[in-house]
Amino acid sequence: MEPNGQFSASCDPSLWDDMDLEALESNHSPAPDNLYEREGCTSRCPTAQQGHPEKAELLSPDLKRSQPLLIQSRKWGRLRDEESRSASLPDIPNPFPELCNSSPILNNTPSGRSPKEGGPHVVKVYSEDGTCRSLEVTAGATARHVCDMLVERVHCLSDESWSLMELHPHLGLERCLEDHESVVEVQAMWPVGGDSNFIFRKNFAKYELFRGSPYALFPEDMVGGNLEAQKGLTHSELVQNFLNSGSWPEIQGYLHMKESSRKVWKRFFFFLRRSGLYYSTKGTSKDPRHLQYFADVNESNLYCLTQGKKMYSAPTEFGFCLKPLKTRSGTKGLKILCTEDEQARTCWLTAIRLFKYGAQLYKNYQISKRNPRSWGEPPKQRSASDSTLVPMDFSGCTGRVIENPLEALSVALEEAQSWRKKTTHRYSLPTPCQATPPNSAAIHKSQAWYHGRLSRDETQRLIMQQGMVDGVFLVRESTRNAKGFVLSLCHLQKIKHYLILPCEEEGRPYYSMDDGETKFLDLIQLVEFHQINRGILPCTLKHYCTNVAL
């Protein structure tokens, strides 16, 4: 007999010939054996153990050592009847789900069984201001599908920057879910009763690799090999070549590594390859004798540290973590690393995502850019009256139908800009014979890029959360000058702040950032100007930080 209560089949086959197998099959059923295995009953052992002669006396002298002990079938019949009756009982709601680690429904299914794929699931998503919204989704709902649902419900402008963030406050970790990831599967891996949640926010750095220059993300000193052969290609050809071949260059550089179960950090030279993440125990040597295996990026999720110095005593604030897929809670098994600056961390994060997902990232970007609703439900059917509408051009003597879609789009943009200029001119331009309207001084408060009274630290945290990409900006009130404002801008992964002061000329109020050299009637005109012209700024304004209330 084995230690788990099952009889061993390694005994002499000749002993089994004397047994009446038909009688054994009629008197026994495999279900009771399974029942005793679940209950942990291992006391009915027919063999005498060494050192326990009292157990040997309990056995019949005519019973062979390798023969199984016969048990009365009436007892097993009663157990089978009770088991069948319990299986036919309906599911009962659990009145105290918070006191146990099971689901809020008491049923007869095993505890390890996954939920039904076709049934609805409730996902709760939070925003930056703490408001939340509960969504009912299917088991196959992706992160892009949930983002499209939230964009539609809160009436936001849909683009590929909207993201679903996974946040673990007790671990100080957060990550951006990829558009193809299943939200229900991610939520099922959370610890029961924990504080993990989803955050709905913009992340401009998610697809910056496909919008900007790859050389800015991957400095030459961090890329192994020679990239001279690739410099003749355009940006799209370079990215497409990498995606089609699947042979990404080796990423290398110094990282601070936290030792497991200790708050001790050591600096090693790391190498990121297709086979995993390695570090050298002897300087920058690539000799296999000096390389130590660190983690498998394909079997881990990539997170950023939100409180690295406070919770893990990290040497810098630019930390990230590789969390194994099997790890549900606690810091055991976490592979925590730290870089010297934000540029190095962005390089490592982007490289690990590319090594893990490959061409799937580019596919996500193309789908989200081409058709935002292709991830979720089919688009709503247009009414018959909407289908008969066509774009018209009335700039000439007679109207004409615009058949070119690109021309129709450009005309619509021109009309929108002209309408906005007229509206801005009506509310913001003072006339000599009319006093300044009271709303002109507060018209900027309705803009999405204006955040009111926000401290410098909160501004930097908000910009870092929404992506350290060139051109990310916001406008806020100045904490030092009561009448001034501050334009906070990200450039080269550094955040700079520019003071906007009011000034007057011939009794008219203006705003300026260069001591009156360039004047603007209001903040809207200032932002729109720098969205087209760089001016005194290091780059144009491209992406504004925004918060939505769910």
Side-chain angles (χ1 to χ4, degrees):
M1 180 175 178
E2 297 294 335
N4 58 0
Q6 296 181 353
F7 295 106
S8 174
S10 62
C11 55
D12 188 2
S14 62
L15 301 177
W16 293 91
D17 297 338
D18 300 335
M19 297 177 56
D20 188 358
L21 298 180
E22 294 181 359
L24 183 62
E25 291 177 358
S26 62
N27 293 333
H28 294 279
S29 173
D33 295 338
N34 297 334
L35 180 63
Y36 271 100
E37 290 174 11
R38 289 195 300 268
E39 296 177 353
C41 297
T42 60
S43 61
R44 299 186 181 274
C45 178
T47 59
Q49 300 179 1
Q50 297 181 359
H52 298 278
E54 65 278 7
K55 292 186 179 181
E57 296 176 357
L58 298 176
L59 301 177
S60 174
D62 298 333
L63 187 65
K64 299 180 180 180
R65 293 176 59 87
S66 60
Q67 183 177 351
L69 181 65
L70 299 181
I71 306 175
Q72 297 296 330
S73 61
R74 290 184 300 175
K75 182 177 180 180
W76 292 115
R78 290 196 302 269
L79 291 175
R80 286 198 303 269
D81 295 339
E82 293 177 0
E83 186 179 15
S84 62
R85 286 196 300 269
S86 63
S88 62
L89 294 176
D91 296 342
I92 304 174
N94 185 2
F96 306 104
E98 67 277 1
L99 299 181
C100 59
N101 294 331
S102 60
S103 62
I105 298 296
L106 296 177
N107 50 30
N108 298 310
T109 59
S111 59
R113 183 175 299 176
S114 60
K116 297 180 179 179
E117 294 184 0
H121 300 266
V122 177
V123 176
K124 183 177 290 187
V125 183
Y126 291 83
S127 64
E128 297 288 351
D129 58 357
T131 59
C132 67
R133 182 183 289 266
S134 297
L135 303 175
E136 188 175 275
V137 299
T138 60
T142 61
R144 173 53 56 182
H145 180 202
V146 175
C147 289
D148 290 340
M149 293 175 63
L150 293 173
V151 166
E152 183 178 356
R153 295 193 181 188
V154 301
H155 307 289
C156 298
L157 183 62
S158 178
D159 57 30
E160 67 274 8
S161 300
W162 286 112
S163 305
L164 204 62
M165 309 294 296
E166 180 188 3
L167 188 64
H168 299 284
H170 65 287
L171 298 176
L173 304 177
E174 71 172 15
R175 77 179 181 104
C176 176
L177 267 66
E178 303 297 342
D179 286 343
H180 65 276
E181 288 191 73
S182 173
V183 178
V184 177
E185 292 181 1
V186 173
Q187 187 174 249
M189 297 301 296
W190 294 351
V192 179
D195 55 353
S196 305
N197 52 59
F198 289 122
I199 302 291
F200 179 61
R201 72 162 72 116
K202 281 198 172 187
N203 183 13
F204 299 106
K206 182 168 61 172
Y207 295 125
E208 184 63 18
L209 171 68
F210 308 115
R211 291 193 296 253
S213 173
Y215 302 106
L217 289 176
F218 300 102
E220 295 183 1
D221 58 340
M222 294 188 63
V223 179
N226 188 11
L227 294 180
E228 292 294 334
Q230 309 288 348
K231 288 194 174 182
L233 302 177
T234 62
H235 171 256
S236 59
E237 292 175 346
L238 177 63
V239 174
Q240 197 65 36
N241 185 28
F242 282 154
L243 294 175
N244 293 336
S245 62
S247 58
W248 292 93
E250 182 181 277
I251 305 299
Q252 59 189 17
Y254 281 100
L255 290 174
H256 297 274
M257 181 183 69
K258 180 182 178 298
E259 294 188 1
S260 58
S261 304
R262 296 179 62 188
K263 291 187 178 181
V264 178
W265 292 78
K266 293 184 178 181
R267 191 168 180 260
F268 292 99
F269 198 80
F270 277 78
F271 303 91
L272 178 61
R273 299 174 178 176
R274 297 293 298 178
S275 57
L277 186 62
Y278 302 84
Y279 67 93
S280 177
T281 57
K282 188 177 181 180
T284 60
S285 174
K286 295 185 180 181
D287 194 313
R289 298 176 301 174
H290 303 147
L291 291 183
Q292 293 290 331
Y293 179 78
F294 183 73
D296 185 4
V297 297
N298 294 319
E299 298 297 329
S300 305
N301 285 328
L302 183 62
Y303 293 84
C304 288
L305 299 184
T306 57
Q307 299 179 10
K309 287 188 174 182
K310 181 179 180 181
M311 299 185 64
Y312 301 100
S313 302
T316 66
E317 291 288 354
F318 313 106
F320 62 95
C321 169
L322 288 170
K323 183 174 178 287
L325 299 177
K326 299 180 181 180
T327 304
R328 286 181 175 267
S329 61
T331 59
K332 185 178 181 180
L334 298 183
K335 306 293 186 178
I336 304 177
L337 300 169
C338 188
T339 62
E340 297 291 345
D341 50 25
E342 182 63 31
Q343 183 181 10
R345 181 171 72 167
T346 303
C347 177
W348 283 103
L349 295 179
T350 306
I352 292 175
R353 290 175 61 212
L354 287 172
F355 274 70
K356 182 177 181 180
Y357 300 108
Q360 183 65 45
L361 288 181
Y362 189 68
K363 181 181 178 181
N364 295 350
Y365 171 67
Q366 291 293 334
I367 294 178
S368 62
K369 183 179 179 181
R370 180 175 63 251
N371 186 7
R373 291 197 57 85
S374 61
W375 291 91
E377 302 174 355
K380 298 180 181 179
Q381 297 292 334
R382 297 180 62 185
S383 61
S385 59
D386 293 340
S387 301
T388 58
L389 298 176
V390 294
M392 299 286 295
D393 180 19
F394 295 99
S395 59
C397 299
T398 59
R400 67 179 182 90
V401 177
I402 303 177
E403 298 180 357
N404 189 355
L406 297 178
E407 183 183 0
L409 180 61
S410 63
V411 171
L413 293 176
E414 290 178 2
E415 290 183 355
Q417 290 292 338
S418 62
W419 175 85
R420 186 171 183 178
K421 289 180 180 179
K422 291 179 181 179
T423 307
T424 305
H425 180 80
R426 181 178 61 183
Y427 287 105
S428 62
L429 277 180
T431 57
C433 59
Q434 184 180 2
T436 303
N439 294 333
S440 63
I443 189 175
H444 55 268
K445 294 184 178 180
S446 62
Q447 303 301 313
W449 40 258
Y450 182 74
H451 289 258
R453 183 168 292 274
L454 204 66
S455 66
R456 179 182 287 253
D457 294 338
E458 293 173 342
T459 300
Q460 296 191 164
R461 179 185 59 83
L462 181 60
I463 293 179
M464 290 181 64
Q465 287 178 349
Q466 300 196 8
M468 298 289 287
V469 178
D470 289 354
V472 176
F473 76 98
L474 61 85
V475 179
R476 58 186 175 89
E477 294 182 6
S478 175
T479 56
R480 298 181 180 181
N481 194 317
K483 297 182 179 180
F485 300 89
V486 177
L487 172 65
S488 300
L489 174 65
C490 178
H491 179 64
L492 296 179
Q493 298 180 346
K494 295 182 180 180
I495 302 175
K496 301 180 180 180
H497 307 274
Y498 299 88
L499 185 61
I500 305 174
L501 294 176
C503 58
E504 288 189 4
E505 183 176 336
E506 298 180 357
R508 296 183 180 182
Y510 295 97
Y511 291 96
S512 177
M513 291 192 301
D514 52 4
D515 297 331
E517 293 292 333
T518 309
K519 306 179 184 65
F520 302 95
L521 297 174
D522 50 32
L523 295 181
I524 295 180
Q525 191 182 48
L526 183 146
V527 170
E528 289 180 347
F529 173 83
H530 289 94
Q531 286 177 335
I532 303 174
N533 308 279
R534 190 177 66 177
I536 65 170
L537 302 178
C539 63
T540 58
L541 307 180
K542 299 178 182 179
H543 314 289
Y544 57 85
C545 292
T546 181
N547 289 333
V548 294
L550 299 178

